Amino acid sequence: MTDTQIPTEQRLDIRLSVNGVPHTTTVTPRRLLSDCLRHDLGLTGTHVGCEHGVCGACTVRIDGKPMRACLMFAVSAQGHEITTVEGLAEPDGTMHPVQQAFRECHGLQCGFCTPGFLTVVSAFLEENPTPTEEEAREAVSGNLCRCTGYQNIVKSVLRAAEITEERKGCAHAEGDAR
């Protein structure tokens, strides 16, 4: 190779399942999942803050578990179900209990960190549906917010647990009425 020849980086075709929808795209092996979601698939709800996995703004769910998308290569997400903040709401547009709670309790201000909080909290509440305030605070401790002081975020976690329980009660009541 001469000095004027620039090697081209290898590109790979990958298949991703994001929010239950199959996607095919072509990426370089080093393409981060966060960049693939935002730039290749147009799912801009996943935010990129620190690009070091510290802030949590890029958190998505991989097979149900929270994962920092800025620390994961897109090629390694093949064969896994990815859920972004866009995938939390019901197909009919009904907000996820966590989304509703953040809205009701003013758990956001500028909103930049919110997608990461929503994905983390949705996973947390599946494992711990009735958290204490201390457990809620611990659950969100890995995500950074520069605006809120976390009080309303913790309130939002607790409210989301209540909303989830209320919705279960409504679903049971509807089933009993039939």
Side-chain angles (χ1 to χ4, degrees):
M1 176 172 10
T2 66
D3 289 336
T4 58
Q5 291 177 318
I6 300 172
T8 58
E9 193 166 7
Q10 179 185 12
R11 297 184 61 75
L12 304 168
D13 292 329
I14 62 171
R15 290 188 189 104
L16 300 175
S17 178
V18 184
N19 303 324
V21 177
H23 295 272
T24 303
T25 188
T26 303
V27 297
T28 61
R30 297 175 8 150
R31 181 73 152 174
L32 296 174
L33 179 58
S34 55
D35 292 332
C36 179
L37 292 169
R38 290 183 59 78
H39 304 295
D40 302 333
L41 303 183
L43 297 169
T44 58
T46 301
H47 293 168
V48 179
C50 67
E51 297 187 74
H52 297 285
V54 175
C55 74
C58 69
T59 305
V60 297
R61 293 178 63 175
I62 304 292
D63 297 332
K65 303 290 184 197
M67 176 75 72
R68 304 290 206 244
C70 76
L71 296 179
M72 183 176 193
F73 293 125
V75 295
S76 64
Q78 289 190 105
H80 299 280
E81 179 57 40
I82 304 162
T83 305
T84 67
V85 68
E86 292 95 340
L88 292 180
E90 296 295 325
D92 69 359
T94 302
M95 284 190 281
H96 186 281
V98 176
Q99 293 170 309
Q100 181 180 335
F102 267 69
R103 182 178 179 188
E104 287 180 13
C105 298
H106 308 286
L108 60 109
Q109 284 185 20
C110 81
F112 189 82
C113 64
T114 305
F117 276 103
L118 295 175
T119 54
V120 164
V121 173
S122 67
F124 167 69
L125 290 176
E126 286 179 13
E127 292 185 16
N128 186 352
T130 56
T132 64
E133 183 175 333
E134 184 178 317
E135 290 168 333
R137 190 171 301 285
E138 177 65 25
V140 299
S141 67
N143 288 58
L144 301 179
C145 175
R146 294 181 175 154
C147 302
T148 66
Y150 298 94
Q151 298 306 316
N152 288 345
I153 293 173
V154 172
K155 287 179 188 175
S156 298
V157 175
L158 299 174
R159 177 65 182 130
E162 292 172 358
I163 293 168
T164 301
E165 192 60 32
E166 290 167 5
R167 289 186 185 178
K168 284 181 186 174
C170 289
H172 290 301
E174 288 174 9
D176 293 341
R178 290 183 192 158

